[in-house]
Amino acid sequence: MTMTDRMARDAASMIGNDSGVAAHDVAIVMGSGWSRAAEALGHMRCEFRPTELPGFVAPAVAGHAGRIRSISFGDTDVLAFLGRTHLYENHGVGAVVHSVRVAAAAGCRAIVLTNGCGSLNPDWPPGTPVLIRDHINLTGTSPLVGADFVDLTDLYSAELRELCRNELGGVPEGVYAQLPGPHYETPAEITMLRRMGADLVGMSTALEAIAARAAGMSVVGISLVTNAAAGMGTGALDHQEVIDAGQSAAGRLGEFLTSIVPCVATSGRS
């Protein structure tokens, strides 16, 4: 067992001991602006600061609450990560995907990855939730080490996306491009991404999704459009805009999550 695996197992064990839950059903990673939506998910059994658990680092980005919660939502046990570590924080890829590996060690068979993102589609204004259909990983790295060949053909589960669409109705789907950040993209780069087939752009999620698939979890990705991508709008890009958009949509995002978690959990148990 590697040191990475051991830290994930030890963190999961601490969560299980404090929560009294032998195996959680669904994990949710909350991106920029999503943290307030966690309040809609149900009764919190226990909460940790990341630095209280092995392998985690404190979030360094505004809009990420920096808490890990075990939540009872009906008959579903949810493990929620309110905040994430980003590649540009220079803690390494292992730190970026540690929450995913902890979720797998805690028994989760499915994971919901959320983020705040820029829109390359003029029909998707700020406040629009979008299901991720596929991604383009432009970070130049992977969470996998060695000859670990993982099929990503159906990385963002088609079954779960269909369940989410049936439950929510009318929610669009798109291709998400992850760049390393922390700078925003130039208009020329956005033009390139549009020609590559991207609809959304951000600085997270793709590496976590790969790690989740490698761990055997079903993956749902949800982006909240927080701004028009560079050159698509009229103003300069600002992280505060990302936070404000998430806070404005917190109520709707909470409803969004409470609608899809039972669907994801049911599929994850099958």
Side-chain angles (χ1 to χ4, degrees):
M1 179 180 293
T2 67
M3 179 65 70
T4 297
D5 293 335
R6 185 174 298 109
M7 287 191 296
R9 183 198 61 185
D10 290 348
S13 178
M14 291 176 64
I15 293 169
N17 289 338
D18 276 39
S19 66
V21 177
H24 286 76
D25 299 306
V26 178
I28 302 177
V29 178
M30 302 288 197
S32 294
W34 280 80
S35 294
R36 285 181 57 195
E39 304 300 329
L41 285 175
H43 171 68
M44 182 177 68
R45 289 195 182 90
C46 62
E47 179 179 80
F48 300 89
R49 293 182 176 84
T51 51
E52 295 175 333
L53 297 173
F56 286 95
V57 297
V61 182
H64 289 256
R67 295 291 186 272
I68 299 164
R69 293 178 180 174
S70 173
I71 298 171
S72 174
F73 179 63
D75 62 353
T76 300
D77 295 309
V78 178
L79 186 57
F81 299 88
L82 281 64
R84 56 161 47 97
T85 298
H86 296 80
L87 188 62
Y88 56 72
E89 295 174 47
N90 293 321
H91 297 296
V93 180
V96 171
V97 302
H98 185 58
S99 58
V100 172
R101 290 171 172 159
V102 170
C108 297
R109 300 304 303 161
I111 189 165
V112 180
L113 300 172
T114 74
N115 62 57
C117 71
S119 172
L120 283 66
N121 187 329
D123 294 330
W124 298 344
T128 303
V130 182
L131 286 171
I132 299 176
R133 175 172 55 82
D134 205 344
H135 79 227
I136 302 171
N137 175 15
L138 295 174
T139 65
T141 190
S142 169
L144 310 183
V145 177
D148 189 3
F149 304 113
V150 177
D151 179 25
L152 303 181
T153 304
D154 188 31
L155 175 54
Y156 297 92
S157 169
E159 175 192 0
L160 292 181
R161 295 198 329 266
E162 182 177 4
L163 289 172
C164 291
R165 289 195 306 270
N166 290 340
E167 182 66 29
L168 298 167
V171 62
E173 291 188 333
V175 175
Y176 176 89
Q178 180 181 351
L179 276 71
H183 55 275
Y184 292 108
E185 304 74 32
T186 67
E189 288 169 337
I190 294 301
T191 298
M192 175 193 72
L193 291 173
R194 293 182 72 186
R195 291 175 178 171
M196 292 173 68
D199 304 292
L200 310 161
V201 63
M203 305 173 192
S204 68
T205 304
L207 298 175
E208 294 157 305
I210 295 168
R213 172 49 58 88
M217 284 190 280
S218 298
V219 180
V220 176
I222 309 171
S223 291
L224 171 69
V225 174
T226 55
N227 57 275
M232 301 290 296
T234 58
L237 301 182
D238 183 353
H239 185 64
Q240 188 60 45
E241 181 181 8
V242 174
I243 298 172
D244 292 345
Q247 291 176 342
S248 297
R252 185 183 180 196
L253 297 180
E255 294 174 1
F256 197 99
L257 290 177
T258 57
S259 295
I260 69 169
V261 163
C263 300
V264 175
T266 300
S267 175
R269 294 189 190 110
S270 62

